[in-house]
């Protein structure tokens, strides 16, 4: 599913109206009716005799709110409208729906006048559900009074909140929240999701996202113009390789992993085991000789190779020739989990960068070895997939981590363009980009914030590359599958008790659900 900015959605609306003759008021009517359906589904017996309070502003979002009010009233709900503007400021299709509401003999309560906050408080405290139709996708900046205080009341009321298109206070193009903002339980967005609903912190205010049809022609929504996508199971399924009855292990790809050091054998284990579970035909793990016996005992389905080591049991610079021989038999390299930042190991990574000729997934200490070395990344002669968390990203592009967190979207695209590579920026709503395409992940949960989770992701991505996926699709599919395995694990283990090994346990089930 494509993801759009407010401006892009506006363009699609105008095309539907001007090119295909769908009146704007029809789009507004359809939008409002879809919101009504979500509100009605909150109650087992429907909305009859339920009290609904609707917050309405002067724009088209408010016009949607008037449609919601009318249909809920017709269904037997008690509807109270809190109007945040002089009705004379309402124009166009929104004014048509305001006029219908008043001609039905229904009133509204002005809250932009003296005493308005107290009136809003009374309404909120008597409500069964609240509907936010205050600001739309054009909102920027900070919510002002009296809306600011009323939004805080709504959030603290304990009543469920349904947002129309986007929670008021979220910036549609960035997800930024600069002040008070409705914290919705459900957001009903129209035609396509907006960026701000999927990027933090906006995603945290969105609640359950419902992307609904308002009759904009499908072929307008399914084009490739914007190249931003919300990852879904159907999309990932199309990318996964089909296995014929005659397939053999050599057809399923050969993964080489360089990982681990003294005290960090778990990272190597998790990466290797994840690669095997994600469908790679053959997995080989190269580790420092001093920890090789540990890996031999821990791994059954993975081949292990002892490599020259430093006195600290990390990979030595002298391991380069052995690694070169291993690379000739591999389809993809996974580099970095648990390697350490020993100076000699860092030097080995630098030397490898100029030798690589197969796709390479770089994570953890592989990334740390390349901090401030963007020229080594951009100069690589093979496709690279970098999988940083925000701290690693900050070190790679030499900016404060706070700047990465404030604008994750720009950070991932800029590194992809400057590094001529694919970048996966970890976190809530993991982002994947090659500088041209952007994928936003829809799976995963806070329980995955545990040591080793990233190592599992590295193994999954490497396995997908080995099976023939191009780098950006492998990274995007890997993020989705990884998050889905985490969701399955959470449903069984809970959030607090989830560990990285659980992700590997649930990988087969996650793949089966998609495949």
């Amino acid at each position: 599913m494509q993801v759009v900015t407010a401006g892009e959605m506006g363009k699609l609306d105008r095309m539907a109206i001007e090119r295909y003759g769908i009146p704007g008021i029809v789009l507004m009517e359809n939008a409002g009716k879809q919101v009504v359906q979500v509100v009605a589904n909150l109650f087992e017996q429907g909305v009859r005799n339920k009290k609904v309070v609707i917050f309405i502003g002067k724009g088209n979002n408010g016009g949607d709110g008037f449609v919601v009010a009318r249909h809920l009233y017709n269904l037997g709900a008690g509807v109270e409208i809190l109007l945040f503007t002089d009705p004379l400021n309402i124009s166009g299709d929104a004014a048509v729906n305001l006029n219908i509401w008043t001609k039905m003999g229904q009133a509204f309560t002005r809250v932009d006048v003296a005493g308005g906050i107290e009136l809003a408080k009374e309404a909120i405290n008597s409500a069964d559900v609240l509907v936010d139709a205050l600001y739309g996708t054009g909102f920027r900046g900070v919510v002002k009074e009296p809306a600011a205080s009323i939004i805080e009341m709504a959030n603290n009321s304990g009543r469920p909140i349904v947002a129309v298109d986007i929670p008021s206070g979220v910036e549609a193009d960035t997800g930024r929240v600069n002040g008070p903002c409705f914290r919705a339980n459900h957001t009903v967005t129209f035609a396509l999701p907006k960026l701000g609903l999927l990027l933090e912190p906006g995603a945290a205010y969105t609640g359950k996202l419902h992307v609904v049809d308002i009759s904009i022609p499908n072929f307008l929504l399914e084009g490739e113009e914007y190249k931003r996508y919300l990852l879904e199971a159907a999309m990932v399924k199309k990318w996964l390789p089909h296995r014929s009855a005659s397939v053999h292990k050599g057809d399923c790809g050969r993964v080489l992993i360089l990982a681990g050091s003294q005290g960090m054998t778990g990272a190597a284990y998790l990466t290797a085991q994840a690669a095997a579970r994600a469908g790679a035909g053959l997995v080989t793990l190269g580790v420092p000789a001093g920890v090789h016996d540990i890996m031999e005992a821990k791994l059954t389905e993975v081949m292990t190779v002892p490599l020259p080591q430093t006195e600290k049991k990390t990979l030595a610079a002298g391991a380069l020739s052995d690694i070169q021989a291993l690379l000739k038999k591999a389809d993809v390299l996974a580099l970095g989990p648990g390697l350490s930042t020993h100076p000699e190991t860092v030097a080995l990574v630098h030397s490898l960068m100029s030798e690589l000729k197969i796709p390479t997934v770089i994570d953890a200490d592989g990334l740390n070895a390349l901090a401030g070395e963007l020229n080594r990344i951009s100069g690589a002669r093979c496709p690279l997939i970098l999988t940083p968390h925000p701290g690693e990203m900050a070190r790679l592009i030499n900016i404060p981590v706070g700047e990465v967190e404030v604008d994750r979207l720009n950070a991932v695209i800029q590194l992809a363009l400057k590094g001529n590579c694919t970048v996966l920026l970890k976190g809530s709503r993991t982002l994947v980009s090659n500088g041209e395409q952007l994928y936003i992940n829809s799976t995963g949960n806070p329980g995955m914030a545990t040591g080793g989770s990233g190592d599992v992701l590295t193994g999954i991505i490497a396995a997908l590359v080995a099976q023939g996926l191009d780098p950006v699709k492998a990274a995007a599919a890997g993020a989705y599958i990884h998050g889905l395995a985490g969701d399955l694990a959470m449903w069984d283990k809970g959030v607090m008790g989830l560990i990285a090994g659980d992700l590997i346990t649930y990988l087969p089930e996650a793949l089966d659900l998609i495949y």
Side-chain angles (χ1 to χ4, degrees), residues 22-100:
I22 303 173
I25 200 161
V26 170
L27 299 178
M28 185 174 285
E29 185 75 10
N30 291 339
K33 290 174 73 173
Q34 290 280 18
V35 176
V36 168
Q37 188 63 55
V38 171
V39 173
N41 288 342
L42 296 177
F43 306 100
E44 288 186 9
Q45 304 301 320
V47 295
R48 180 171 293 277
N49 299 322
K50 299 297 183 182
K51 173 70 178 293
V52 183
V53 172
I54 306 177
F55 306 83
I56 290 183
K58 67 178 183 179
N60 281 342
N61 198 248
D64 299 334
F66 285 117
V67 176
V68 174
R70 170 163 40 91
H71 285 284
L72 287 174
Y73 173 79
N74 289 338
L75 289 171
V79 179
E80 182 168 359
I81 288 175
L82 302 182
L83 190 62
F84 287 72
T85 185
D86 187 321
L88 295 176
N89 293 330
I90 299 175
S91 61
D93 294 334
V96 172
N97 280 297
L98 166 59
N99 290 334
I100 294 171

Side-chain angles (χ1 to χ4, degrees), residues 197-234:
L197 297 171
L198 305 177
L199 301 176
E200 295 293 351
Y205 288 82
T206 298
K208 183 177 180 180
L209 181 62
H210 307 258
V211 182
V212 299
D213 171 37
I214 60 171
S215 78
I216 293 176
N218 279 340
F219 51 80
L220 290 180
L221 307 178
E222 295 173 354
E224 298 292 321
E225 182 176 355
Y226 304 117
K227 298 188 183 300
R228 294 186 221 96
Y229 306 93
L230 177 65
L231 284 166
E232 299 175 294

